[in-house]
């Protein structure tokens, strides 16, 4: 293992070009309970752009990314169930680098027949989609009832739509017209297509009366759960789409953060709202492996199909952020 490596580093928060590739960044030391992973892939997620821009503050400097995967090349003391040569995926800070120190407890085993790029995309997005469709709704939706999932044309909700179907929910998806084929391939029961919003990473939610379509599809009853990673642009539609005692699960800010709103807006249907995060749904190794192993099993069986949209070499990490934010 070399002493220095290539890494994409943020020394000052800012736009995508604040993410600069350095070729002499120290390879991290591994502590007890950690392993060193030689990364084959790192995942790019919206949360990475929030860290880079300073929206979510981090101590500086830092190596970007929080999702990766590859081969274990060194093992620290007190590591029992991970060994050199294992294929693993993980979610810890510092994945935009050739090597990452990872707590063994955070390593997810990757089966030989699951491609590493797909496995890496499973970590944040797949685990997020898993808890959103299995637990974040607090069982206020039952199989056979309607769930609205925004943004099924890619990212987390491409996974969530499929997982919702696996769990037996009836699913309405939304996406841009240009991603209609991807949206249909998730197997949603109904798909609402919007025009593209130029210069943004989300759809033009003013281009179609989505709320009217949801109410038409559900015979006026609405949806027992709404999974919303879009944020500000979809707040009114999401709240309006709720069924009686339904739950609005807000987990992302693609169009901007959800503004403060009065709780009284929930009185119309005695509805619920939650703003969950992945960490609280992967509290221990047992819960992490339960989610990961179920996802890997669905990938192996073909029940879950994931397309990796595109990839960038580490040298073009900033271009990856620009692509995500475009």
């Amino acid at each position: 293992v070399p002493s220095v490596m290539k890494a994409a580093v943020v020394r000052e928060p800012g736009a995508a070009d604040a993410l600069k590739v350095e070729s002499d960044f120290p390879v991290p030391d591994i502590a007890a309970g950690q392993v060193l992973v030689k990364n084959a892939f790192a995942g790019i997620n919206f949360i990475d752009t929030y860290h880079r821009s300073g929206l979510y503050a981090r101590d500086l400097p830092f190596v970007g990314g929080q999702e990766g995967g590859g081969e274990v090349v060194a093992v620290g003391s007190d590591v029992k169930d991970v060994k050199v040569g294992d294929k693993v995926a993980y979610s810890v800070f510092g994945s935009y680098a050739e090597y990452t120190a990872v707590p063994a407890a955070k390593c997810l085993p990757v089966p030989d027949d699951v491609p590493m790029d797909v496995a890496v995309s499973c970590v944040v997005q797949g685990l997020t989609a898993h808890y959103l469709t299995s637990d974040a709704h607090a069982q206020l939706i039952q199989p056979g009832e309607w769930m609205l999932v925004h943004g099924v044309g890619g990212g987390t909700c491409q996974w969530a739509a499929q997982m919702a179907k696996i769990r037996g929910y009836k699913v309405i998806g939304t996406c841009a017209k240009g991603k209609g084929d991807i949206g249909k391939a998730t197997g949603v029961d109904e798909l609402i297509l919007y025009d593209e919003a130029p210069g943004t990473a989300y759809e033009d939610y003013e281009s179609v009366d989505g709320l009217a379509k949801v109410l038409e599809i559900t015979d006026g009853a609405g949806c027992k759960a709404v999974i919303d990673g879009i944020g500000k642009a979809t707040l009114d539609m999401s709240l309006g789409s709720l069924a009686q005692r339904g739950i609005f699960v807000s987990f992302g800010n693609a169009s901007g953060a959800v503004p403060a709103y009065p709780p009284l807006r929930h009185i119309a249907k005695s509805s619920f709202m939650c703003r969950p995060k992945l960490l609280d749904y992967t509290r221990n190794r047992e819960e992490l492996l339960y989610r990961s192993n179920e996802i890997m099993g669905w990938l192996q069986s073909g029940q879950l199909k994931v397309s990796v949209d595109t990839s960038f070499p580490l040298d073009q990490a900033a271009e990856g952020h620009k692509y995500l934010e475009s």
Side-chain angles (χ1 to χ4, degrees):
V1 176
S3 59
V4 294
M5 64 179 180
K6 193 180 288 185
V9 182
V10 175
R11 294 193 176 273
E12 289 294 332
D17 289 323
L19 193 61
K20 298 190 187 306
V21 175
E22 302 179 7
S23 57
D24 57 353
F25 201 83
V27 171
D29 295 323
I30 51 172
Q34 291 187 325
V35 302
L36 189 68
V37 177
K38 184 176 184 181
N39 292 314
F41 288 93
I44 302 178
N45 295 281
F46 267 108
I47 195 167
D48 302 347
T49 70
Y50 305 156
H51 291 147
R52 185 214 69 226
S53 69
L55 177 65
Y56 293 178
R58 292 273 304 277
D59 292 337
L60 298 167
F62 65 86
V63 175
Q66 62 167 354
E67 179 180 61
E71 185 177 334
V72 175
V73 293
V75 174
S77 59
D78 297 332
V79 174
K80 295 183 174 55
D81 56 351
V82 183
K83 62 186 187 303
V84 170
D86 281 358
K87 287 172 58 184
V88 299
Y90 63 83
S91 176
V92 302
F93 287 142
S95 64
Y96 292 1
E98 291 179 299
Y99 296 90
T100 305
V102 182
K106 295 282 186 78
C107 288
L108 310 180
V110 178
D112 287 338
D113 51 354
V114 174
M116 185 56 75
D117 57 344
V118 171
V120 168
S121 68
C122 136
V123 183
V124 174
Q125 293 187 354
L127 289 171
T128 298
H130 191 282
Y131 89 74
L132 288 171
T133 53
S134 63
D135 293 304
H137 51 61
Q139 317 312 316
L140 291 166
I141 180 172
Q142 300 300 318
E145 295 181 322
W146 284 104
M147 175 183 280
L148 171 63
V149 183
H150 287 295
V152 300
T156 299
C157 285
Q158 181 188 353
W159 297 75
Q162 295 179 75
M163 292 182 191
K165 288 300 299 175
I166 290 169
R167 294 196 180 283
Y169 307 132
K170 293 191 290 189
V171 181
I172 302 170
T174 73
C175 71
K177 288 176 180 172
K179 294 183 176 178
D181 288 347
I182 299 171
K184 287 192 186 85
T186 64
V188 294
D189 298 274
E190 300 282 349
L191 187 62
I192 300 171
L193 295 173
Y194 293 94
D195 293 340
E196 320 278 342
T200 74
Y202 55 96
E203 296 75 53
D204 177 4
Y205 287 93
E206 301 295 313
S207 63
V208 170
D209 189 346
L211 175 55
K213 286 189 174 292
V214 167
L215 294 176
E216 180 186 342
I217 291 164
T218 61
D219 295 325
C223 298
K224 280 298 185 76
V226 176
I227 308 295
D228 188 341
I230 306 298
K232 184 178 179 181
T234 47
L235 172 64
D236 290 340
M237 177 185 171
S238 290
L239 290 177
S241 295
L242 289 171
Q244 191 177 65
R245 287 159 56 174
I247 185 166
F248 168 42
V249 181
S250 172
F251 78 97
N253 320 295
S255 66
V258 173
Y261 68 88
L264 205 57
R265 290 191 67 176
H266 288 280
I267 199 171
K269 297 283 185 72
S270 297
S271 59
F272 300 81
M273 185 270 185
C274 75
R275 181 47 172 101
K277 66 180 187 292
L278 177 58
L279 198 62
D280 292 327
Y281 288 86
T282 50
R283 290 173 297 188
N284 51 45
R285 178 94 177 138
E286 184 182 23
E287 193 169 34
L288 185 66
L289 287 181
Y290 145 63
R291 298 193 191 285
S292 168
N293 291 341
E294 191 160 54
I295 293 165
M296 295 295 178
W298 289 336
L299 288 168
Q300 287 176 294
S301 70
Q303 284 178 281
L304 188 60
K305 297 178 176 64
V306 176
S307 61
V308 174
D309 180 33
T310 189
S311 59
F312 299 85
L314 180 57
D315 286 327
Q316 294 176 22
E319 296 306 311
H321 276 215
K322 289 174 187 175
Y323 177 81
L324 191 63
E325 293 175 301
S326 68

